[in-house]
Amino acid sequence: MNKIIGCILLLFISLQTHAQKVDKVPYDSARMKWFEEAKLGIFIHWGIYAVNGIGESWSFYNKEISYKDYMAQSKGFTASKYNPEEWAKLFKEAGANYAVLTTKHHDGVALWNTKQSELNVVKQTPAKRDLVGPYCEALRKQGLKVGLYFSHLDWSQPDYASVTSPGEINTPTEKRNPFSYPPQGKDDTVRWNKFLNFHRSQLKELSLQYKPDLLWFDGDWERSAAQWRMWELRDSLLKWDPKVILNARMQGYGDYLTPEQGVPIVKPGGMWEFCVTTNDSWGYQPKDRNFKTPRQIINMFAETISMGGNLLLDIGPKADGTIEDEQVKILKELGRWNKKHAEAVYPTVAGLPFGHFYGPTTISNDSTVIYLFLIAQPWDNITLKGIRNKVKSIRVVGTGDTLAYYKNGGASWLNIPGVLYISKPTKYDENLTVVAVDLEGKLDLYHDAGGAVEKN
C-alpha cells in the first residue's frame, strides 16, 4: 500500500513539474527558419457550419442553435466545387508561403477519413471523400508549406466531458457547460484517458498520413497542461515528424505565439503570427458583409511584419468549396501589392524601434536597406531619425523613382545624427507606398535619450 501511495505521489509531483514548464520550449532555428521568413499565410475555416452560414461550433455551444440542428448541416456539405489546386494558385498569387486548413474544429467533424470516429465528412456528408489529402498535394505543388488546424477539445466526443478543469472546480455544476465538463460534476479519469488516446490517435493519423509542416492547435484552454499531458504530446508529435512546427496553443509547449483579431500594439515575445479574418467571421457567414478593404489588410500586414511577425489571413469557403468574390478580390489585390513590393517583404527582418519613423518599417536581411511604409501620406517631407550611416540613395519601391533628401541638425562630431528629410513621392500606390533607404554599410542606429552637447 505504501508503495502505491508513493508512486501516486511521484506521479503527482511529476505532473506538477511538467505543468510548470509553460513557455520553456527552446527556440529551434533549423525547424523555424522557413516560418520566420514566410511573412504571409492563409487560414481556411471550412466545415459543415458553412451550410447554414453560422458560427463554427460555438453556435451550438452557446445555444444559438440546437446540437441536433447544427449537426444536421452535414447533409448539405457537398464540397461539390472543391478545387484545391485553384485554392493553392490563389494563395500563391496572394504572396502566401503557407496555408492552414481546419481539419477538425470544436464540433469534432473531421475533414479526413479518420479511423477513430464515424464523425467525418467521408461517412457523414455528401462529400464522401477525404478533403485534406488533395489540399496538401495542391499546396506542395505550388511550393507552399502545409498547415493543419486541429482542435484539442471535442464537444462531440462522449469521453471529452469527463473531467473538470482546475479553473472550473469552484463553479457550480449547473453552470458548467455539459459539452465541456461532467454533467453531474463527477470526474471519470478512466474516460478522460480514453479520450486522450482518441485525441493522440487522430493526431497520429494526421501526422503520418499528411506530414504537415505546421500543426495549428486550438481549444487547449479547458484543461491544464498536466491534464492534457502536453509535454508527452509534444514529444510524440516531434517523434512522428521531427520537422513539424507547433503553434502556442499547447499550454506553453508550442513554438510560436498566435494573437488574433487585434493587431498587437507591443511586439510579442519570440516568434509570432497574427491571425485575422477578412470580415468579422472565421467561417462562411453570408450575412456578414463587413469586409476589410485591401488597404486595411495591407496596412495590418505591414504593421505585422514591421514587428517581426507573420500574418495569417482567414477566409471561409462555402459548403461547395467555392470562395466568396469579396475574399478573392482581397487576396488578388494583396498579391498585386506583394509582387510590386516584394523586396520590402521577403525575406526581411523586423524594422526600426518606435520613434525613428512614424509608420511601419522593415530592414533587409543584410541590414543595408530600410523600408518605410507610408501608411499616412506626408504633408511635406518624410522624416527618418537616428540614422548614422551615409545614404547611398532613396527610391520608391516598385517604380524605381528616386527621391531627394538632406540631413538637418545633430552633432556629427559626437556621432549624434540629425534628422533625415526625404521628399515626397510624386505618385503613390493605391494601397500603400514603400520607400527604400539604401545605406552605405550596415545600419548604424542611434537609439538614445539624448543629452547635453558639451563639446563643439
Side-chain angles (χ1 to χ4, degrees):
M1 178 62 73
N2 288 338
K3 287 184 177 180
I4 294 174
I5 293 172
C7 289
I8 292 172
L9 285 173
L10 284 173
L11 177 60
F12 177 79
I13 293 169
S14 174
L15 289 177
Q16 293 301 308
T17 301
H18 280 296
Q20 291 169 7
K21 288 185 178 179
V22 173
D23 299 324
K24 298 296 183 182
V25 175
Y27 173 70
D28 185 340
S29 58
R31 275 191 313 120
M32 297 300 295
K33 182 174 174 56
W34 75 259
F35 181 83
E36 194 170 2
E37 297 179 349
K39 306 302 180 187
L40 179 64
I42 305 300
F43 212 174
I44 310 144
H45 273 68
W46 193 35
I48 65 169
Y49 40 86
V51 174
N52 291 352
I54 59 177
E56 66 291 341
S57 305
W58 291 98
S59 52
F60 74 77
Y61 185 88
N62 293 329
K63 300 180 180 179
E64 297 164 15
I65 185 174
S66 70
Y67 178 79
K68 180 180 179 181
D69 288 342
Y70 178 94
M71 298 307 292
Q73 292 178 102
S74 60
K75 298 175 182 178
F77 189 74
T78 65
S80 59
K81 297 180 181 179
Y82 174 43
N83 189 333
E85 291 195 354
E86 290 301 313
W87 281 15
K89 288 177 183 177
L90 178 61
F91 303 161
K92 183 76 172 181
E93 183 182 348
N97 283 302
Y98 66 106
V100 178
L101 172 68
T102 51
T103 65
K104 190 184 81 165
H105 207 268
H106 311 326
D107 57 16
V109 182
L111 296 192
W112 80 101
N113 191 20
T114 177
K115 296 177 181 178
Q116 311 307 318
S117 168
E118 294 291 305
L119 193 53
N120 62 73
V121 295
V122 180
K123 295 183 175 69
Q124 301 292 335
T125 76
K128 294 187 180 300
R129 65 190 189 280
D130 171 23
L131 303 177
V132 178
Y135 154 85
C136 296
E137 292 173 12
L139 257 59
R140 291 187 170 119
K141 187 176 179 181
Q142 292 297 323
L144 304 179
K145 296 290 186 180
V146 172
L148 302 181
Y149 168 110
F150 182 88
S151 172
H152 290 299
L153 63 81
D154 188 326
W155 289 329
S156 291
Q157 220 285 339
D159 293 317
Y160 176 71
S162 55
V163 297
T164 306
S165 165
E168 290 288 320
I169 289 175
N170 297 322
T171 301
T173 300
E174 62 274 12
K175 292 186 178 180
R176 296 177 188 168
N177 196 303
F179 293 110
S180 297
Y181 303 113
Q184 276 70 48
K186 296 180 180 179
D187 287 354
D188 188 336
T189 54
V190 173
R191 287 183 60 206
W192 174 248
N193 287 326
K194 185 179 176 183
F195 171 76
L196 286 183
N197 182 62
F198 163 80
H199 173 264
R200 267 52 168 184
S201 297
Q202 283 200 322
L203 282 171
K204 188 173 184 179
E205 286 180 350
L206 290 174
S207 297
L208 298 183
Q209 286 179 221
Y210 306 114
K211 298 290 184 183
D213 301 289
L214 184 154
L215 282 169
W216 209 103
F217 290 110
D218 200 7
D220 63 338
W221 63 84
E222 289 190 340
R223 302 287 185 268
S224 68
Q227 287 173 311
W228 284 117
R229 299 210 295 269
M230 282 298 188
W231 67 94
E232 284 183 3
L233 177 58
R234 181 181 174 86
D235 288 346
S236 294
L237 293 169
L238 291 174
K239 180 180 178 181
W240 297 328
D241 186 355
K243 294 182 180 179
V244 71
I245 291 173
L246 313 174
N247 79 336
R249 301 182 188 195
M250 290 273 294
Q251 289 282 351
Y253 289 87
D255 295 307
Y256 69 93
L257 299 174
T258 56
E260 62 181 83
Q261 293 294 52
V263 180
I265 305 302
V266 177
K267 179 182 177 180
M271 293 298 300
W272 64 284
E273 166 196 78
F274 170 53
C275 50
V276 66
T277 50
T278 49
N279 51 8
D280 292 327
S281 307
W282 292 104
Y284 171 66
Q285 293 195 34
K287 292 181 179 179
D288 182 0
R289 312 320 295 168
N290 191 30
F291 287 98
K292 299 172 181 68
T293 66
R295 180 180 294 113
Q296 289 170 332
I297 286 174
I298 290 168
N299 285 354
M300 287 182 182
F301 183 42
E303 291 178 301
T304 300
I305 63 176
S306 176
M307 291 187 283
N310 291 347
L311 179 70
L312 185 63
L313 182 62
D314 181 74
I315 60 169
K318 299 177 183 178
D320 63 4
T322 57
I323 301 170
E324 286 188 281
D325 290 342
E326 290 85 351
Q327 294 180 333
V328 171
K329 179 182 176 182
I330 287 169
L331 293 181
K332 285 183 174 291
E333 181 55 23
L334 179 55
R336 179 205 67 80
W337 185 89
N338 266 323
K339 184 176 181 180
K340 180 180 178 181
H341 302 92
E343 69 166 281
V345 178
Y346 313 102
T348 55
V349 297
L352 302 172
F354 290 122
H356 290 272
F357 174 71
Y358 299 114
T361 61
T362 57
I363 300 172
S364 63
N365 273 2
D366 64 2
S367 298
T368 63
V369 187
I370 304 170
Y371 297 100
L372 312 177
F373 295 78
L374 306 184
I375 285 181
Q377 294 182 15
W379 281 100
D380 40 40
N381 292 308
I382 301 164
T383 58
L384 180 60
K385 295 177 285 186
I387 309 302
R388 289 189 174 115
N389 306 67
K390 290 183 178 180
V391 174
K392 290 169 62 176
S393 66
I394 299 180
R395 55 194 166 80
V396 179
V397 176
T399 69
D401 294 345
T402 58
L403 302 176
Y405 61 92
Y406 67 94
K407 275 189 177 181
N408 202 337
S412 58
W413 58 95
L414 293 177
N415 210 15
I416 299 174
V419 176
L420 182 63
Y421 291 98
I422 306 167
S423 63
K424 296 189 300 182
T426 55
K427 293 181 181 179
Y428 291 89
D429 183 86
E430 60 190 271
N431 285 314
L432 181 58
T433 300
V434 183
V435 169
V437 180
D438 295 298
L439 307 172
E440 289 190 6
K442 292 188 176 182
L443 174 62
D444 183 6
L445 193 65
Y446 173 78
H447 188 67
D448 208 336
V453 175
E454 298 175 348
K455 182 178 179 181
N456 284 288

